[in-house]
Amino acid sequence: MKFKALIPAVALFCCMTKQGFTSTSPFFINTTVAATESAAGLKVLGGEPYFYVDNGMSPFEAEVGQEHLQSYYIEVFNLAPTESFTIQLTDPAGPFSISTSSSSDFGSSIELSATNDGVITRYIWVKYVPETAGGHVATIQHSTASSELEAVNVEGNATSLPVKWHSFTARKTEGAVLLEWATATETNNSHFEVEWSGNPLNGFEQTGRVESKAHNSEWLTRYSYQLPLKDHTAGTLYFRLKQVDIDGRFEYSKIVAVELAGFAGVTLTLAPNPVTDATFLLISTPAEGPLEVQIRDSSGTLVWQQFYQVYKGSQQIKLPYSRMPAAGLYVLLTNFRGEVNRQWFIRL
């Protein structure tokens, strides 16, 4: 037989004890069914089990491969003590899955057991992870061993990612950094903006733009961009791509890094590191010239700056330990004849 959802003829705000009703919280009963007393001392409804569902879920929306999570609430009354209760997806191979936890154990079915009072109350979590674009529907059935209760219908709509990345790499070539990337698919793609940074904590800035070769494609499409190193000759450079849709929406690629060589003929050493009040910057150079030294904290804020005239040979500069008031991660920046070098260090 089919059980109908509990639609109360009378709403009594009560809790039920052996002595009768005392007001606390809402409890719905059907006036056509007599109340009996359970072994545990609680008055329960006689007759058929009743099922109540509070389904506040809206249609699911997600991009292909992404996740959307919602939940609904159920109450089941008048079950036999420890009676089993099954929740089952009608399309177990589809993009929907269910669980009693919001973070684990998702599958196509759930088995619950009633309490000794014949009651089940639970939130049911529904996860939507589409693998294809378009609309999806499924039904969640609720039943006991002998009866089927009201079902919950779920709907989902999946949109394709504008670009599905295949690869993105960066490597140093003669006098330049070569960026190469490929897309597996593109949908309404306008162009890519190439961004670089010497320190991602300080953000990125645009250095170039590459137009899409195929605004809509389902095949592998390769791209490249070359950045001359006339202004970047030492340290580490970080790159990312900003993919921009025809309608102006955008998303970022992963970040890749390139390690550049140090100064030609110049050696810089920071010792000891982690730093103490006796840490020195050791410099060895085959020529003389101006040297700028900066210390910045991990947020990019300038802590200390000084200019020096260095000469051919070896020399050392004592770092201002007292100008770094807090323990943490810092970066030492040196600029010698327009060539910048970076070295991270720790102040204990």
Side-chain angles (χ1 to χ4, degrees):
M1 62 180 171
K2 284 197 175 274
F3 293 154
K4 55 183 179 295
L6 176 57
I7 304 176
V10 178
L12 299 180
F13 291 78
C14 62
C15 70
M16 296 184 289
T17 66
K18 287 185 177 181
Q19 287 74 30
F21 297 108
T22 59
S23 62
T24 54
S25 59
F27 184 85
F28 298 96
I29 65 172
N30 188 320
T31 54
T32 62
V33 179
T36 60
E37 188 171 64
S38 71
L42 296 178
K43 289 182 181 293
V44 299
L45 302 178
E48 298 179 345
Y50 277 82
F51 175 66
Y52 169 78
V53 58
D54 182 6
N55 181 11
M57 295 188 298
S58 59
F60 289 78
E61 298 283 346
E63 292 182 333
V64 173
Q66 303 300 308
E67 174 185 307
H68 187 188
L69 192 65
Q70 297 189 71
S71 67
Y72 66 97
Y73 179 73
I74 62 168
E75 292 181 351
V76 189
F77 303 97
N78 285 357
L79 295 173
T82 70
E83 183 177 355
S84 63
F85 181 74
T86 301
I87 305 173
Q88 179 75 46
L89 271 170
T90 57
D91 184 13
F96 295 97
S97 56
I98 54 177
S99 176
T100 56
S101 168
S102 62
S103 59
S104 61
D105 301 325
F106 280 89
S108 60
S109 64
I110 300 172
E111 293 289 336
L112 301 175
S113 295
T115 64
N116 290 333
D117 302 319
V119 174
I120 292 175
T121 60
R122 196 67 58 93
Y123 278 97
I124 305 301
W125 291 90
V126 184
K127 183 164 64 173
Y128 177 59
V129 185
E131 295 182 357
T132 57
H136 303 92
V137 295
T139 300
I140 305 174
Q141 301 281 6
H142 307 83
S143 62
T144 64
S146 58
S147 305
E148 181 179 325
L149 282 67
E150 183 178 324
V152 169
N153 296 316
V154 289
E155 301 178 13
N157 181 55
T159 56
S160 297
L161 292 171
V163 165
K164 184 176 181 181
W165 300 97
H166 178 268
S167 61
F168 178 35
T169 61
R171 59 188 175 90
K172 185 183 177 185
T173 61
E174 186 65 32
V177 171
L178 177 63
L179 304 178
E180 295 177 300
W181 66 95
T183 61
T185 62
E186 297 184 26
T187 304
N188 295 326
N189 183 30
S190 171
H191 63 274
F192 302 92
E193 295 176 6
V194 181
E195 298 184 349
W196 80 278
S197 175
N199 180 0
L201 295 174
N202 294 336
F204 286 78
E205 63 181 80
Q206 183 178 342
T207 187
R209 171 174 168 148
V210 177
E211 298 298 323
S212 172
K213 293 181 180 179
H215 300 301
N216 295 279
S217 68
E218 295 184 358
W219 53 85
L220 193 68
T221 307
R222 299 187 182 276
Y223 298 87
S224 65
Y225 178 84
Q226 188 164 277
L227 175 68
L229 286 177
K230 59 181 180 179
D231 297 323
H232 316 282
T233 56
T236 304
L237 296 182
Y238 302 87
F239 297 91
R240 71 181 182 185
L241 300 173
K242 181 179 180 180
Q243 178 273 317
V244 183
D245 290 355
I246 293 175
D247 61 7
R249 292 184 299 174
F250 63 88
E251 68 172 8
Y252 289 105
S253 71
K254 67 178 182 179
I255 296 173
V256 296
V258 174
E259 294 287 344
L260 304 181
F263 306 132
V266 177
T267 302
L268 300 175
T269 305
L270 188 65
N273 184 8
V275 304
T276 68
D277 58 359
T279 292
F280 288 85
L281 175 62
L282 308 177
I283 307 169
S284 177
T285 176
E288 66 177 78
L291 175 70
E292 178 189 4
V293 182
Q294 292 184 7
I295 294 178
R296 295 180 178 268
D297 62 21
S298 59
S299 68
T301 302
L302 181 65
V303 174
W304 177 78
Q305 182 182 38
Q306 188 65 49
F307 293 86
Y308 298 93
Q309 180 67 25
V310 295
Y311 301 93
K312 180 179 179 180
S314 298
Q315 51 234 286
Q316 62 183 23
I317 299 171
K318 191 175 188 300
L319 292 189
Y321 184 79
S322 61
R323 297 295 296 273
M324 298 173 282
L329 185 65
Y330 293 83
V331 61
L332 175 73
L333 301 174
T334 56
N335 187 335
F336 181 72
R337 292 184 171 182
E339 298 180 337
V340 178
N341 191 19
R342 298 169 179 82
Q343 184 170 352
W344 292 91
F345 66 90
I346 299 172
R347 182 211 191 274
L348 300 178

